[in-house]
Amino acid sequence: MDLKIDDIVKQVLSEVGVPKVERTAFPLERQPVFTGNETGRTAVLASPENYEIKEFKLPEIGGKEILVQVEGCCVAPSDTAEFMKEKRIGQASLLGQQGTGVIVKLGSPPLTDAKGNSLKVGDRIVAVRKAGGSIGAFAGNRVITGVTANGWFSNYVILQAGSQVYQVNDLDLESRLLTETAIAVNSTVLRAGKLSRLDERSKVIVLGCRLEGLMAIAALRCMGVSSIIAVDGDESMLKLAKSFGAEQVIDYRDKNGMAGVIEQVRSNCGGDLADTVFQCTCSALGRSTARRFVKSSGNVCELGYVLGRGKSSAKYYEESMPVKGRFYSARDYEQCFEFLKKASEQGIPMYQLMTHRYLLEQINEAHWAAIRGEGLAIAVFNR
């Protein structure tokens, strides 16, 4: 059998493309008005592939609890896994992990966040998973009597004492919703950067301009790496890659095949290949493809799996995403928020990663869009 390497590489790279970015705008960032007479609403996974919206009376909060009005929640791979599960024992417990909201009531002020900042009504916060905490969406989300609260797929959540909360008033809504994506990518990029000794002189290729790839480009740019080359087969994604910080872009659909792509890589790398390639596809052949773009002394860093989309043979990280999600240190979160702030200061349009937006009543549709692999990031909003 005559096996053509260029044909295999083209097939791998063809998996990189995603549909063009679509955005349905919702009004963002309005200060909530809380009277105390509001009705709680939460999406309950009543049966496989079907959420139902349940209403409940908001209970009184306890001593060190925090009542948060939810602004939105991203649909994560663990959400879709639970959504599609045919059989389960008890209630689904991995739902609504990536949400954010506004504090509308504090139990016993003064309370502080994980960094020691004083919390007050009106603060915008994210609550994150704690190592050794509960297996729910985040440690401390209280279960309301008679209704199983499903993480941030609600209009209100109650955070119990000991929840790891961060005050993030200086981040816009999309950046806050992308926190878990940003920390997964940024922590991996920082680690790879240290191991590969990346600096402003390094030549870096990002293979694949989906969510991970675009976030990696932004993280590299905020690290001070300027010579970034994005490789993809979707013109709209390549255009977006340039706005995220890629200095050069290469369309793999070169008329001269892979030889033409490698020639472009050498031209953009001053006659040589890249120092590091961030492989952001989920293909099993992606690593061997990335190896064709990197120096013999260079490195390939796998990023196509860090958001829980599948297994990979990785050099810098665990082989796969744990079923219950990955825990990060307080320092990881601090570095993540620094990255998101710097991205905003540099005008990187992080909001464009949020390509699909749904209302709470449309949560089933949101999950099907995520399962079909539409767009980049998908979120459910309370409006």
Side-chain angles (χ1 to χ4, degrees):
M1 182 176 179
D2 185 17
L3 189 63
K4 296 182 178 180
I5 298 300
D6 279 5
D7 291 340
I8 294 176
V9 172
K10 284 185 178 181
Q11 182 179 353
V12 171
L13 291 174
S14 68
E15 298 175 10
V16 172
V18 296
K20 292 184 179 180
V21 173
E22 301 172 2
R23 178 170 180 170
T24 304
F26 283 106
L28 303 178
E29 311 273 2
R30 65 182 182 185
Q31 193 70 17
V33 176
F34 183 72
T35 65
N37 299 317
E38 285 76 7
T39 299
R41 299 170 66 249
T42 186
V44 176
L45 191 55
S47 60
E49 304 175 10
N50 182 47
Y51 278 95
E52 294 180 1
I53 306 299
K54 303 289 186 180
E55 294 190 353
F56 59 93
K57 181 180 179 180
L58 291 179
E60 290 296 322
I61 62 174
K64 293 186 178 180
E65 293 183 330
I66 303 172
L67 179 62
V68 178
Q69 185 180 83
V70 178
E71 291 182 283
C73 181
C74 276
V75 178
S78 58
D79 296 324
T80 57
E82 288 289 331
F83 183 73
M84 295 290 290
K85 190 180 292 184
E86 289 291 334
K87 296 180 181 180
R88 62 171 55 86
I89 299 175
Q91 296 291 334
S93 60
L94 299 172
L95 303 174
Q97 301 180 48
Q98 302 182 23
T100 184
V102 183
I103 296 175
V104 293
K105 191 174 182 180
L106 291 169
S108 300
L111 297 177
T112 59
D113 73 351
K115 290 184 65 177
N117 298 314
S118 295
L119 295 174
K120 62 184 183 301
V121 171
D123 281 342
R124 288 175 162 80
I125 59 119
V126 293
V128 304
R129 292 178 56 82
K130 292 178 66 176
S134 67
I135 63 172
F138 47 87
N141 185 20
R142 196 216 287 187
V143 176
I144 311 301
T145 303
V147 177
T148 302
N150 285 286
W152 293 86
F153 290 138
S154 306
N155 62 346
Y156 290 94
V157 296
I158 296 175
L159 304 182
Q160 291 182 315
S163 297
Q164 189 168 329
V165 176
Y166 287 92
Q167 179 196 82
V168 282
N169 291 332
D170 46 1
L171 294 180
D172 59 42
L173 178 55
E174 285 88 354
S175 293
R176 289 184 275 125
L177 284 170
L178 291 165
T179 294
E180 293 302 316
T181 301
I183 195 170
V185 174
N186 187 61
S187 61
T188 307
V189 168
L190 288 176
R191 180 178 296 182
K194 291 178 181 177
L195 292 174
S196 300
R197 298 181 180 178
L198 297 181
D199 56 30
E200 65 277 1
R201 298 166 297 177
S202 301
K203 306 292 184 181
V204 177
I205 288 178
V206 175
L207 176 59
C209 296
R210 298 184 64 196
L211 182 58
E212 300 93 327
L214 292 169
M215 188 73 79
I217 291 171
L220 287 163
R221 175 62 72 172
C222 290
M223 280 174 55
V225 178
S226 58
S227 187
I228 305 169
I229 304 167
V231 180
D232 199 282
D234 187 303
E235 291 182 3
S236 63
M237 292 297 102
L238 290 174
K239 182 178 179 181
L240 195 55
K242 294 206 74 171
S243 68
F244 270 66
E247 187 176 63
Q248 303 290 337
V249 297
I250 297 175
D251 190 331
Y252 72 81
R253 300 169 299 180
D254 189 284
K255 63 181 180 180
N256 295 319
M258 186 50 51
V261 175
I262 294 176
E263 184 179 346
Q264 290 187 64
V265 168
R266 289 187 178 278
S267 175
N268 291 323
C269 292
D272 205 344
L273 295 174
D275 298 297
T276 300
V277 175
F278 288 89
Q279 202 286 100
C280 301
T281 75
C282 294
S283 169
L285 296 175
R287 186 175 180 83
S288 60
T289 302
R291 273 289 170 194
R292 302 192 70 179
F293 300 147
V294 71
K295 296 176 180 177
S296 58
S297 59
N299 295 302
V300 173
C301 178
E302 300 278 355
L303 272 174
Y305 69 98
V306 296
L307 303 185
R309 280 192 250 275
K311 295 183 178 181
S312 178
S313 176
K315 183 172 182 179
Y316 296 119
Y317 228 101
E318 297 91 342
E319 187 174 70
S320 64
M321 175 68 76
V323 173
K324 297 174 184 177
R326 181 174 287 128
F327 296 112
Y328 296 97
S329 68
R331 180 56 182 160
D332 290 328
Y333 277 100
E334 290 174 17
Q335 290 176 332
C336 171
F337 295 133
E338 289 171 6
F339 154 53
L340 290 172
K341 291 173 190 175
K342 189 175 291 186
S344 177
E345 292 168 359
Q346 295 187 12
I348 298 174
M350 304 296 280
Y351 70 90
Q352 292 189 32
L353 297 176
M354 196 66 62
T355 55
H356 289 62
R357 299 159 183 257
Y358 295 87
L359 296 173
L360 186 59
E361 295 79 5
Q362 300 170 312
I363 187 170
N364 289 326
E365 186 181 348
H367 277 66
W368 281 117
I371 291 165
R372 290 191 297 264
E374 296 179 359
L376 299 174
I378 296 173
V380 174
F381 291 83
N382 289 307
R383 290 290 183 267

